[in-house]
Amino acid sequence: MKLLKKSTLATLVGAAALTAAGAANATIVVGGENGYEFSVDGNINQFFIASDQDSASASANRDQDNQQVANGLLPTFFGFNVAMPEINGLKVAARVSISPSTNNGSYVNSDAAMEQREAFATVDGSFGQIMLGKGLGLYSANNILLDQTLYGVGATGLTAAGDQNTGQTSLGRIGYGYEYANWRSQIRYTTPDMNGFKAAVAVMDSDDFLTAKVVNSSTTSNQFEKDARYEASLSYATAFDGGSMKLWLDGMTQDVRYSNATGSEKSDAYTVGGQLVFGGIEAVAAYYDSKGQGVNGLGTGAFTADNKAREGDGYYAQLGYRFGGQTFVAASYGKSTLDRDSANTVAGGVADLDTNSMTTIGIYHDVTANLKLVAEYSKIETEYHIQSSDDEVDVLSLGGFISW
């Protein structure tokens, strides 16, 4: 077999993640002469992260400075791709990736050691594409893939002790302007390109927010019904002299049961957004509205103490300029809010938050197609229902990516 070097927009996080980077990767490809190809791609990223947290809380644990050496919003990726020749108008391909963390504890804590985010196959033809397996969801995918913090750190997570820590990865802008798209087991259909328009629908494995079910006023563990999750996306993309534009509308729905809730609550959400590229200017804006998703789309604060789904919404806006095609300087602001009324009380703590907001300024410089350097600053503000426990965090991160 012949070993080839092929220039491609190979992605760090599945199809299209590098679209925002604007730089080509080098993917090692084996084969190709008889129509079969095997290729690998991936990245290792590492950052020095310094955070300064000020809190109105009485707890001294939440007024502190922290320094870390860790990966950012993306873990490391190592992807394996197989492409088969077209037969009877069908092209079959598959991708499996592994996502280990570079962070401390990853070798002793199985939850932080490695994620398996992608394992899917695709069948392409004149009808469009069918995708089977685990990959990035449709809802909110464009929001995260076009966010500048995808190649940075953004927000760090708040541990139970109250300190800032990235865990396996940082949060980026998840919960600070949009909800997480997440990596989901799914069966998806995507239409062919129709003069710039594309639609996709998928049935997915739903979120496991529930740990117990109430039956005849008694709580029983590990006995609950589970419904599928449904997602859909409609997008339009076009290119013109000197630039391009993309618009999207995504949505999701599923039934959820949370902790000891009787019956179920409907979780629904949609997001609408757009990207404009003109010359060196790149602008992104997106808005979302949801119910029963929590502040981040992962269930945090999704329900009240009386088991009612909380409604939320949020937005982010980003403006940047790409100098010489290699240096991207950008600033963004985003906000996520959970609504409540006088009856909607929760137990307190992280689940009691009302509003997250974050301002980010960053410089992302492609030294080569395989080396990206990043300097990023974020100011994070969190307001809780208990107003005396509001938090402010400043996060400075310096690091970058080595990709192939």
Side-chain angles (χ1 to χ4, degrees):
M1 302 183 78
K2 188 178 180 181
L3 185 64
L4 305 174
K5 196 90 166 177
K6 185 171 82 173
S7 177
T8 177
L9 289 178
T11 163
L12 296 178
V13 289
L18 274 186
T19 303
N25 252 348
T27 299
I28 298 173
V29 180
V30 178
E33 293 179 340
N34 59 356
Y36 288 87
E37 289 186 352
F38 173 78
S39 63
V40 296
D41 60 75
N43 89 92
I44 292 177
N45 71 92
Q46 194 80 325
F47 291 88
F48 173 80
I49 306 167
S51 61
D52 179 9
Q53 179 177 347
D54 295 315
S55 173
S57 170
S59 170
N61 288 338
R62 297 177 70 176
D63 236 357
Q64 55 185 267
D65 298 333
N66 287 285
Q67 296 181 353
Q68 292 179 264
V69 177
N71 51 222
L73 173 58
L74 287 173
T76 64
F77 265 85
F78 202 106
F80 305 88
N81 309 285
V82 178
M84 286 148 259
E86 182 173 333
I87 301 176
N88 295 330
L90 299 179
K91 294 191 69 174
V92 179
R95 175 177 172 85
V96 176
S97 71
I98 56 175
S99 310
S101 172
T102 66
N103 298 356
N104 279 359
S106 61
Y107 65 98
V108 295
N109 184 343
S110 60
D111 291 336
M114 187 175 299
E115 292 185 358
Q116 208 285 297
R117 298 189 175 199
E118 295 174 309
F120 62 84
T122 56
V123 180
D124 286 83
S126 59
F127 56 85
Q129 183 189 80
I130 295 174
M131 181 264 220
L132 308 168
K134 186 179 182 183
L136 193 63
L138 293 171
Y139 170 67
S140 201
N142 286 296
N143 298 22
I144 190 170
L145 292 177
L146 297 176
D147 174 18
Q148 68 183 87
T149 69
L150 180 69
Y151 295 98
V153 172
T156 54
L158 186 66
T159 68
D163 62 313
Q164 296 291 321
N165 193 293
T166 63
Q168 181 173 355
T169 70
S170 65
L171 294 175
R173 190 170 285 287
I174 299 166
Y176 296 83
Y178 56 76
E179 296 176 334
Y180 191 30
N182 216 337
W183 306 86
R184 304 181 184 279
S185 181
Q186 58 189 281
I187 301 172
R188 179 194 299 183
Y189 168 69
T190 304
T191 67
D193 187 293
M194 299 174 289
N195 295 319
F197 286 95
K198 271 191 177 183
V201 292
V203 56
M204 303 184 178
D205 200 29
S206 60
D207 291 317
D208 294 322
F209 289 165
L210 179 66
T211 58
K213 181 180 180 180
V214 176
V215 179
N216 297 326
S217 300
S218 298
T219 301
T220 56
S221 306
N222 302 319
Q223 297 181 30
F224 59 90
E225 298 171 358
K226 183 173 182 176
D227 297 315
R229 176 185 177 103
Y230 300 92
E231 295 193 3
S233 176
L234 176 64
S235 64
Y236 174 75
T238 186
F240 50 86
D241 189 20
S244 63
M245 179 182 68
K246 183 174 184 179
L247 304 172
W248 63 87
L249 171 64
D250 309 331
M252 59 73 57
T253 184
Q254 73 175 70
D255 287 334
V256 293
R257 300 166 178 83
Y258 195 77
S259 295
N260 298 331
T262 57
S264 66
E265 287 279 338
K266 180 73 73 174
S267 178
D268 298 301
Y270 74 87
T271 182
V272 59
Q275 180 198 37
L276 176 65
V277 177
F278 186 74
I281 299 174
E282 300 183 18
V284 181
Y287 169 82
Y288 77 90
D289 188 279
S290 69
K291 176 184 177 183
Q293 287 280 99
V295 73
N296 52 14
L298 297 172
T300 303
F303 284 74
T304 64
D306 55 354
N307 302 316
K308 300 299 183 183
R310 296 173 69 184
E311 296 184 359
D313 62 0
Y315 64 89
Y316 85 98
Q318 177 177 300
L319 182 63
Y321 189 86
R322 196 173 298 275
F323 295 88
Q326 288 185 288
T327 304
F328 185 54
V329 179
S332 58
Y333 175 81
K335 186 174 184 177
S336 291
T337 301
L338 286 175
D339 298 334
R340 65 174 70 246
D341 57 36
S342 59
N344 288 345
T345 58
V346 293
V350 175
D352 195 34
L353 62 86
D354 282 338
T355 301
N356 275 339
S357 62
M358 183 172 74
T359 301
T360 299
I361 301 171
I363 302 173
Y364 312 84
H365 176 64
D366 295 315
V367 180
T368 71
N370 305 100
L371 176 61
K372 180 190 293 288
L373 300 180
V374 177
E376 191 180 79
Y377 165 77
S378 294
K379 184 174 185 63
I380 303 160
E381 296 181 277
T382 300
E383 297 179 6
Y384 294 94
H385 185 52
I386 304 171
Q387 293 299 315
S388 62
S389 62
D390 294 352
D391 290 326
E392 292 186 2
V393 185
D394 296 287
V395 180
L396 176 65
S397 55
L398 301 171
F401 285 75
I402 292 176
S403 58
W404 60 88

